[in-house]
Amino acid sequence: MADNRVVVYKGPGEVAVESIDYPKLELPQDVVSGLGIKRAAPHAVILKLVTSNICGSDQHMVRGRTTAPVGQTLGHEITGEIVEIGDDVLFHEVGDICSVPFNIACGRCRMCNEGKTGICLNVNPARAGAAYGYVDMGGWLGGQAEYVMVPFADFNLLKFPDRDQALEKILDLTMLSDIFPTGYHGAYTAGVTTGSTVYVAGAGPVGLAAAYSAQLLGASTVIVGDMNADRLKQAASFGCETADLSSGDALADIIDDILGEPVVDAAVDAVGFEARGHGRDAAEQPATVLNDIMDVARAGASLGIPGLYVTGDPGAVDDAAKQGQIGVRLGLGWAKSHTFVTGQCPVKQYNRQLMNLILADKAHIAEAVNAKTISLDEAPAGYAAFDQGAATKYVIDPHGMVS
């Protein structure tokens, strides 16, 4: 019986909202058969979605730039209310409103015990690490839905301490599932600290979150680079300097004009594998941003790379890039003794502290990323607008719970 609805990938450029069965307290068959574990999941809960956001990572799939099959359910940014609870869930109750890290983690393996929840060993037979509603990430159903199952709930869920306060600040709190921790991770692993000068490549939601996080970490100047005027305007709205890469001017020269020197203390790649060269009509050049940040980061700097890179891109510009091989000037980074930090953000390392900042009215991330609420039925339109470069973070509100 279909008692749930979810956003589904229908082919390049197309998504739809379809009816599916109400979730059960069971693990996906791919995980069960691939890892040889029990299907019953008494450690899980069912959430009624309060909010679920459209992410740039989702857009890579919808553009046909991954190996995602038609029918792939979408959505990994999940905030919800517990409506059903497994017998082995000890520390959560029906009615709790919780943030869900986009990384699915068992809480029991070596990686989880080391705090590396983005590469859990027990949730995806294909590789380390899993996520909701994403290709090659274990077969977990997506959370751009009315209801979703969350496994290992005691470990994965971050409960908001006060329901009324949570609903009042829900547009900020919904960012805890992914982009706020991911942006913070990018800035933090780039070594941003008091007085740092910072370059953030990309003014999409993750780039804006990284720029905002750099300010929280004490940066003196944050420069955001992009070719989208509206997104650059959004970055400027909370105090960032901007680099308009559509001008064709050298990035180092733009930074020199702002700082009086052509280098920064820390740099963040919030773009990923669909990067384009500089100039208004520049073609796709997937290594552009990585080479840029090596070029403008001073010797000895760290480079935070939360932007997504994939092992399979059927729409890539050449055969090498189709396998994730791109022309990175690694010798430059080696010569400058740069530190590279890549991979999924381990959300649980940051989400509680960032929640506390939001609840204490010290962080207003929804304003920084220009959050806008839409209904579940409006999700296809939200995807289309986001793909056209809207300077907006679309927040799906399936049950009309956002005031």
Side-chain angles (χ1 to χ4, degrees), residues 62-355:
V62 173
R63 291 189 189 113
R65 296 300 298 271
T66 72
T67 56
V70 171
Q72 169 75 55
T73 60
L74 301 175
H76 55 270
E77 299 189 11
I78 297 168
T79 304
E81 177 184 5
I82 298 176
V83 293
E84 185 177 342
I85 197 163
D87 290 342
D88 286 350
V89 178
L90 303 179
F91 305 112
H92 291 281
E93 299 176 352
V94 170
D96 288 350
I97 297 181
C98 306
S99 179
V100 183
F102 77 90
N103 335 96
I104 301 170
C106 72
R108 301 164 181 178
C109 69
R110 174 178 176 175
M111 294 297 101
C112 288
N113 281 319
E114 294 178 2
K116 301 172 183 176
T117 52
I119 45 175
C120 174
L121 303 176
N122 291 328
V123 287
N124 183 358
R127 65 183 69 174
Y132 303 89
Y134 214 85
V135 60
D136 295 332
M137 284 294 189
W140 301 84
L141 285 175
Q144 288 170 9
E146 293 175 324
Y147 299 91
V148 70
M149 185 273 291
V150 174
F152 310 108
D154 281 328
F155 184 71
N156 284 309
L157 293 180
L158 174 66
K159 176 186 173 181
F160 301 138
D162 182 89
R163 179 187 179 88
D164 291 339
Q165 184 187 33
L167 291 174
E168 179 183 343
K169 294 182 176 292
I170 197 65
L171 283 183
D172 291 305
L173 294 171
T174 190
M175 306 304 168
L176 293 172
S177 58
D178 183 354
I179 68 162
F180 197 8
T182 293
Y184 191 93
H185 179 65
Y188 180 81
T189 56
V192 178
T193 187
T194 306
S196 295
T197 57
V198 185
Y199 174 66
V200 176
V206 169
L208 295 172
Y212 187 78
S213 297
Q215 293 176 338
L216 289 176
L217 288 163
S220 59
T221 306
V222 181
I223 304 167
V224 179
D226 206 296
M227 290 183 279
N228 181 316
D230 290 338
R231 290 181 172 182
L232 290 174
K233 184 178 179 181
Q234 183 63 29
S237 73
F238 58 93
C240 297
E241 300 287 341
T242 59
D244 182 1
L245 302 179
S246 69
S247 68
D249 295 340
L251 177 59
D253 291 341
I254 298 173
I255 290 174
D256 194 17
D257 288 342
I258 296 169
L259 298 177
E261 59 177 348
V263 294
V264 292
D265 299 323
V268 179
D269 172 3
V271 177
F273 71 102
E274 286 193 64
R276 292 164 55 198
H278 296 184
R280 188 171 302 278
D281 298 318
E284 188 170 307
Q285 298 176 21
T288 297
V289 172
L290 290 171
N291 290 330
D292 275 352
I293 62 174
M294 285 189 286
D295 185 45
V296 302
R298 68 174 67 254
S302 294
L303 310 178
I305 309 172
L308 175 66
Y309 289 86
V310 295
T311 57
D313 174 10
V317 294
D318 55 49
D319 288 340
K322 288 178 181 179
Q323 302 177 60
Q325 298 175 12
I326 57 178
V328 177
R329 295 180 62 197
L330 188 59
L332 175 61
W334 188 94
K336 296 177 77 171
S337 293
H338 284 159
T339 299
F340 296 72
V341 182
T342 68
Q344 286 188 42
C345 165
V347 169
K348 281 175 60 67
Q349 288 189 19
Y350 308 105
N351 63 351
R352 186 176 299 277
Q353 296 93 321
L354 296 176
M355 175 189 74

